Amino acid sequence: KAGVTQTPRYLIKTRGQQVTLSCSPISGHRSVSWYQQTPGQGLQFLFEYFSETQRNKGNFPGRFSGRQFSNSRSEMNVSTLELGDSALYLCASTHGQGANEAFFGQGTRLTVV
Amino acid sequence: AQKVTQAQTEISVVEKEDVTLDCVYETRDTTYYLFWYKQPPSGELVFLIRRNSFDEQNEISGRYSWNFQKSTSSFNFTITASQVVDSAVYFCALSEKIQGAQKLVFGQGTRLTINP
């Protein structure tokens, strides 16, 4: 059974640009969550999608957005990049019902210069 | 608000020693779930265990064991006879359910180094 796949693994962007990250969940999982990991703030919840609907959003500015497609694949977008957006972005998939264990991808390491 | 505290930022032990990672949580919910994840250098978070708030039984899985004490809001993780491959960052997390969604609140993590 394939795990959670995130692409790309590494990205270098310039301030002011925008970026799109992709996440393919485990087959059969309908929920995808995104987390940002930085040395200073640790792991923080960005948002969660279930059946193409955003169910919850963390405390991040509107520059951070996401969507989910009918095949449960998800993308997150960050516009007008800032240096502080440099982080490891992790995607997690679950069945979506109840407090199931979340399975994480290897993440996308974004560096903003 | 929910909060998870892992007071130990870094722990370093010699191989074969036992080591306990502490986790203290805060929540007003009566139903909640606690998790432990391991993050090796490759970056992904590897699921280790889930425990719900109604089940205070301790759990053992090989060299790993978990002690859940609701009275002290703690969910500690012990590795017995540690090995170099156990070196990683370990995260304790609390599940917060909002509008049907599950949101994990993580502690700051404990970096565990097992020296040969």
Side-chain angles (χ1 to χ4, degrees), chain A residues 29-32 48-56 66-75:
Chain A
H29 284 189
R30 295 166 63 192
S31 168
V32 173
E48 189 254 5
Y49 287 88
F50 177 79
S51 293
E52 303 179 65
T53 300
Q54 186 183 88
R55 292 198 294 191
N56 194 20
R67 59 177 176 169
Q68 187 180 34
F69 302 95
S70 58
N71 62 358
S72 293
R73 190 177 71 85
S74 176
E75 289 181 348

mmCIF file of all heavy atoms in Angstrom, chain A residues 29-32 48-56 66-75:
data_model
loop_
_atom_site.group_PDB
_atom_site.id
_atom_site.type_symbol
_atom_site.label_atom_id
_atom_site.label_comp_id
_atom_site.label_asym_id
_atom_site.label_seq_id
_atom_site.Cartn_x
_atom_site.Cartn_y
_atom_site.Cartn_z
ATOM 1 N N HIS A 29 -8.109 7.042 1.835
ATOM 2 C CA HIS A 29 -8.201 8.107 2.837
ATOM 3 C C HIS A 29 -8.839 9.334 2.212
ATOM 4 O O HIS A 29 -8.465 9.758 1.125
ATOM 5 C CB HIS A 29 -6.813 8.462 3.367
ATOM 6 C CG HIS A 29 -6.271 7.465 4.341
ATOM 7 N ND1 HIS A 29 -5.128 7.697 5.069
ATOM 8 C CD2 HIS A 29 -6.716 6.239 4.717
ATOM 9 C CE1 HIS A 29 -4.897 6.656 5.856
ATOM 10 N NE2 HIS A 29 -5.845 5.760 5.641
ATOM 11 N N ARG A 30 -9.786 9.926 2.937
ATOM 12 C CA ARG A 30 -10.511 11.071 2.387
ATOM 13 C C ARG A 30 -10.147 12.390 3.038
ATOM 14 O O ARG A 30 -10.573 13.443 2.617
ATOM 15 C CB ARG A 30 -12.011 10.819 2.532
ATOM 16 C CG ARG A 30 -12.506 9.641 1.694
ATOM 17 C CD ARG A 30 -13.887 9.193 2.105
ATOM 18 N NE ARG A 30 -14.885 10.224 1.897
ATOM 19 C CZ ARG A 30 -16.125 10.160 2.380
ATOM 20 N NH1 ARG A 30 -16.504 9.137 3.114
ATOM 21 N NH2 ARG A 30 -16.981 11.130 2.133
ATOM 22 N N SER A 31 -9.365 12.317 4.114
ATOM 23 C CA SER A 31 -8.987 13.545 4.811
ATOM 24 C C SER A 31 -7.504 13.823 4.611
ATOM 25 O O SER A 31 -6.660 12.937 4.748
ATOM 26 C CB SER A 31 -9.287 13.405 6.307
ATOM 27 O OG SER A 31 -8.678 14.457 7.031
ATOM 28 N N VAL A 32 -7.210 15.080 4.305
ATOM 29 C CA VAL A 32 -5.828 15.521 4.188
ATOM 30 C C VAL A 32 -5.642 16.759 5.052
ATOM 31 O O VAL A 32 -6.426 17.711 4.970
ATOM 32 C CB VAL A 32 -5.466 15.862 2.724
ATOM 33 C CG1 VAL A 32 -4.077 16.483 2.659
ATOM 34 C CG2 VAL A 32 -5.520 14.605 1.856
ATOM 35 N N GLU A 48 -7.382 21.473 7.150
ATOM 36 C CA GLU A 48 -7.765 20.085 6.911
ATOM 37 C C GLU A 48 -8.882 20.049 5.883
ATOM 38 O O GLU A 48 -9.811 20.878 5.943
ATOM 39 C CB GLU A 48 -8.227 19.416 8.204
ATOM 40 C CG GLU A 48 -8.434 17.899 8.090
ATOM 41 C CD GLU A 48 -9.889 17.476 8.053
ATOM 42 O OE1 GLU A 48 -10.772 18.359 8.020
ATOM 43 O OE2 GLU A 48 -10.141 16.256 8.064
ATOM 44 N N TYR A 49 -8.793 19.120 4.947
ATOM 45 C CA TYR A 49 -9.811 18.947 3.921
ATOM 46 C C TYR A 49 -10.373 17.536 3.989
ATOM 47 O O TYR A 49 -9.652 16.571 4.247
ATOM 48 C CB TYR A 49 -9.221 19.189 2.527
ATOM 49 C CG TYR A 49 -8.951 20.637 2.261
ATOM 50 C CD1 TYR A 49 -7.737 21.210 2.624
ATOM 51 C CD2 TYR A 49 -9.916 21.450 1.682
ATOM 52 C CE1 TYR A 49 -7.498 22.555 2.408
ATOM 53 C CE2 TYR A 49 -9.679 22.791 1.455
ATOM 54 C CZ TYR A 49 -8.464 23.340 1.823
ATOM 55 O OH TYR A 49 -8.231 24.670 1.605
ATOM 56 N N PHE A 50 -11.686 17.478 3.765
ATOM 57 C CA PHE A 50 -12.374 16.194 3.730
ATOM 58 C C PHE A 50 -13.403 16.257 2.631
ATOM 59 O O PHE A 50 -14.245 17.162 2.629
ATOM 60 C CB PHE A 50 -13.036 15.907 5.088
ATOM 61 C CG PHE A 50 -13.828 14.635 5.130
ATOM 62 C CD1 PHE A 50 -13.174 13.423 5.280
ATOM 63 C CD2 PHE A 50 -15.212 14.645 5.032
ATOM 64 C CE1 PHE A 50 -13.901 12.239 5.329
ATOM 65 C CE2 PHE A 50 -15.931 13.474 5.082
ATOM 66 C CZ PHE A 50 -15.282 12.265 5.226
ATOM 67 N N SER A 51 -13.338 15.332 1.712
ATOM 68 C CA SER A 51 -14.262 15.308 0.575
ATOM 69 C C SER A 51 -14.385 16.678 -0.076
ATOM 70 O O SER A 51 -15.488 17.202 -0.280
ATOM 71 C CB SER A 51 -15.658 14.826 1.035
ATOM 72 O OG SER A 51 -15.603 13.481 1.426
ATOM 73 N N GLU A 52 -13.250 17.258 -0.380
ATOM 74 C CA GLU A 52 -13.129 18.523 -1.123
ATOM 75 C C GLU A 52 -13.576 19.753 -0.333
ATOM 76 O O GLU A 52 -13.638 20.854 -0.893
ATOM 77 C CB GLU A 52 -13.896 18.441 -2.447
ATOM 78 C CG GLU A 52 -13.443 17.296 -3.352
ATOM 79 C CD GLU A 52 -14.236 17.222 -4.639
ATOM 80 O OE1 GLU A 52 -14.139 18.160 -5.442
ATOM 81 O OE2 GLU A 52 -14.963 16.213 -4.824
ATOM 82 N N THR A 53 -13.888 19.591 0.948
ATOM 83 C CA THR A 53 -14.337 20.720 1.762
ATOM 84 C C THR A 53 -13.335 20.995 2.878
ATOM 85 O O THR A 53 -12.873 20.070 3.543
ATOM 86 C CB THR A 53 -15.713 20.411 2.388
ATOM 87 O OG1 THR A 53 -16.657 20.177 1.346
ATOM 88 C CG2 THR A 53 -16.189 21.582 3.253
ATOM 89 N N GLN A 54 -13.035 22.271 3.072
ATOM 90 C CA GLN A 54 -12.158 22.615 4.185
ATOM 91 C C GLN A 54 -12.977 22.572 5.469
ATOM 92 O O GLN A 54 -13.935 23.332 5.648
ATOM 93 C CB GLN A 54 -11.571 24.017 3.983
ATOM 94 C CG GLN A 54 -10.534 24.383 5.050
ATOM 95 C CD GLN A 54 -10.009 25.804 4.885
ATOM 96 O OE1 GLN A 54 -10.574 26.759 5.401
ATOM 97 N NE2 GLN A 54 -8.934 25.948 4.146
ATOM 98 N N ARG A 55 -12.562 21.715 6.398
ATOM 99 C CA ARG A 55 -13.324 21.573 7.643
ATOM 100 C C ARG A 55 -12.761 22.432 8.754
ATOM 101 O O ARG A 55 -13.465 22.787 9.692
ATOM 102 C CB ARG A 55 -13.362 20.110 8.103
ATOM 103 C CG ARG A 55 -14.159 19.211 7.215
ATOM 104 C CD ARG A 55 -14.542 17.906 7.915
ATOM 105 N NE ARG A 55 -13.399 17.058 8.218
ATOM 106 C CZ ARG A 55 -13.500 15.801 8.618
ATOM 107 N NH1 ARG A 55 -14.694 15.245 8.761
ATOM 108 N NH2 ARG A 55 -12.430 15.081 8.880
ATOM 109 N N ASN A 56 -11.492 22.746 8.666
ATOM 110 C CA ASN A 56 -10.885 23.507 9.747
ATOM 111 C C ASN A 56 -9.633 24.213 9.232
ATOM 112 O O ASN A 56 -8.956 23.714 8.328
ATOM 113 C CB ASN A 56 -10.522 22.578 10.911
ATOM 114 C CG ASN A 56 -10.199 23.337 12.176
ATOM 115 O OD1 ASN A 56 -10.568 24.495 12.328
ATOM 116 N ND2 ASN A 56 -9.506 22.688 13.095
ATOM 117 N N GLY A 66 -5.604 26.318 0.382
ATOM 118 C CA GLY A 66 -5.487 24.943 -0.088
ATOM 119 C C GLY A 66 -6.739 24.523 -0.803
ATOM 120 O O GLY A 66 -7.726 25.268 -0.885
ATOM 121 N N ARG A 67 -6.688 23.334 -1.340
ATOM 122 C CA ARG A 67 -7.872 22.739 -1.937
ATOM 123 C C ARG A 67 -7.681 21.233 -2.008
ATOM 124 O O ARG A 67 -6.560 20.730 -1.902
ATOM 125 C CB ARG A 67 -8.143 23.321 -3.316
ATOM 126 C CG ARG A 67 -7.009 23.130 -4.330
ATOM 127 C CD ARG A 67 -7.420 23.691 -5.671
ATOM 128 N NE ARG A 67 -6.347 23.626 -6.649
ATOM 129 C CZ ARG A 67 -6.531 23.856 -7.953
ATOM 130 N NH1 ARG A 67 -7.730 24.146 -8.427
ATOM 131 N NH2 ARG A 67 -5.513 23.800 -8.792
ATOM 132 N N GLN A 68 -8.786 20.552 -2.220
ATOM 133 C CA GLN A 68 -8.734 19.098 -2.358
ATOM 134 C C GLN A 68 -9.555 18.713 -3.577
ATOM 135 O O GLN A 68 -10.626 19.269 -3.824
ATOM 136 C CB GLN A 68 -9.286 18.407 -1.107
ATOM 137 C CG GLN A 68 -9.104 16.897 -1.137
ATOM 138 C CD GLN A 68 -9.650 16.230 0.116
ATOM 139 O OE1 GLN A 68 -10.634 16.669 0.696
ATOM 140 N NE2 GLN A 68 -9.009 15.144 0.541
ATOM 141 N N PHE A 69 -9.044 17.761 -4.299
ATOM 142 C CA PHE A 69 -9.698 17.320 -5.524
ATOM 143 C C PHE A 69 -10.556 16.080 -5.256
ATOM 144 O O PHE A 69 -10.484 15.485 -4.180
ATOM 145 C CB PHE A 69 -8.649 17.022 -6.593
ATOM 146 C CG PHE A 69 -7.774 18.216 -6.900
ATOM 147 C CD1 PHE A 69 -6.554 18.385 -6.269
ATOM 148 C CD2 PHE A 69 -8.191 19.178 -7.805
ATOM 149 C CE1 PHE A 69 -5.753 19.488 -6.533
ATOM 150 C CE2 PHE A 69 -7.400 20.286 -8.076
ATOM 151 C CZ PHE A 69 -6.186 20.439 -7.436
ATOM 152 N N SER A 70 -11.335 15.708 -6.243
ATOM 153 C CA SER A 70 -12.269 14.591 -6.066
ATOM 154 C C SER A 70 -11.553 13.268 -5.802
ATOM 155 O O SER A 70 -12.122 12.346 -5.217
ATOM 156 C CB SER A 70 -13.185 14.453 -7.288
ATOM 157 O OG SER A 70 -12.412 14.257 -8.455
ATOM 158 N N ASN A 71 -10.292 13.165 -6.190
ATOM 159 C CA ASN A 71 -9.530 11.933 -5.910
ATOM 160 C C ASN A 71 -8.788 12.015 -4.574
ATOM 161 O O ASN A 71 -7.929 11.194 -4.287
ATOM 162 C CB ASN A 71 -8.544 11.652 -7.041
ATOM 163 C CG ASN A 71 -7.508 12.750 -7.200
ATOM 164 O OD1 ASN A 71 -7.536 13.758 -6.486
ATOM 165 N ND2 ASN A 71 -6.593 12.556 -8.135
ATOM 166 N N SER A 72 -9.131 13.004 -3.778
ATOM 167 C CA SER A 72 -8.579 13.265 -2.434
ATOM 168 C C SER A 72 -7.183 13.890 -2.443
ATOM 169 O O SER A 72 -6.706 14.293 -1.384
ATOM 170 C CB SER A 72 -8.542 11.991 -1.564
ATOM 171 O OG SER A 72 -9.848 11.590 -1.275
ATOM 172 N N ARG A 73 -6.562 13.995 -3.592
ATOM 173 C CA ARG A 73 -5.280 14.712 -3.642
ATOM 174 C C ARG A 73 -5.494 16.160 -3.233
ATOM 175 O O ARG A 73 -6.559 16.735 -3.460
ATOM 176 C CB ARG A 73 -4.689 14.656 -5.054
ATOM 177 C CG ARG A 73 -3.266 15.167 -5.160
ATOM 178 C CD ARG A 73 -2.734 15.001 -6.586
ATOM 179 N NE ARG A 73 -3.364 15.935 -7.510
ATOM 180 C CZ ARG A 73 -2.965 17.188 -7.714
ATOM 181 N NH1 ARG A 73 -1.939 17.675 -7.042
ATOM 182 N NH2 ARG A 73 -3.578 17.949 -8.592
ATOM 183 N N SER A 74 -4.479 16.712 -2.589
ATOM 184 C CA SER A 74 -4.630 18.080 -2.083
ATOM 185 C C SER A 74 -3.439 18.924 -2.505
ATOM 186 O O SER A 74 -2.332 18.418 -2.718
ATOM 187 C CB SER A 74 -4.754 18.053 -0.557
ATOM 188 O OG SER A 74 -4.803 19.364 -0.024
ATOM 189 N N GLU A 75 -3.704 20.189 -2.638
ATOM 190 C CA GLU A 75 -2.639 21.148 -2.882
ATOM 191 C C GLU A 75 -2.747 22.271 -1.873
ATOM 192 O O GLU A 75 -3.845 22.611 -1.429
ATOM 193 C CB GLU A 75 -2.769 21.763 -4.291
ATOM 194 C CG GLU A 75 -2.444 20.817 -5.418
ATOM 195 C CD GLU A 75 -2.571 21.483 -6.786
ATOM 196 O OE1 GLU A 75 -3.127 22.596 -6.875
ATOM 197 O OE2 GLU A 75 -2.114 20.868 -7.765
#
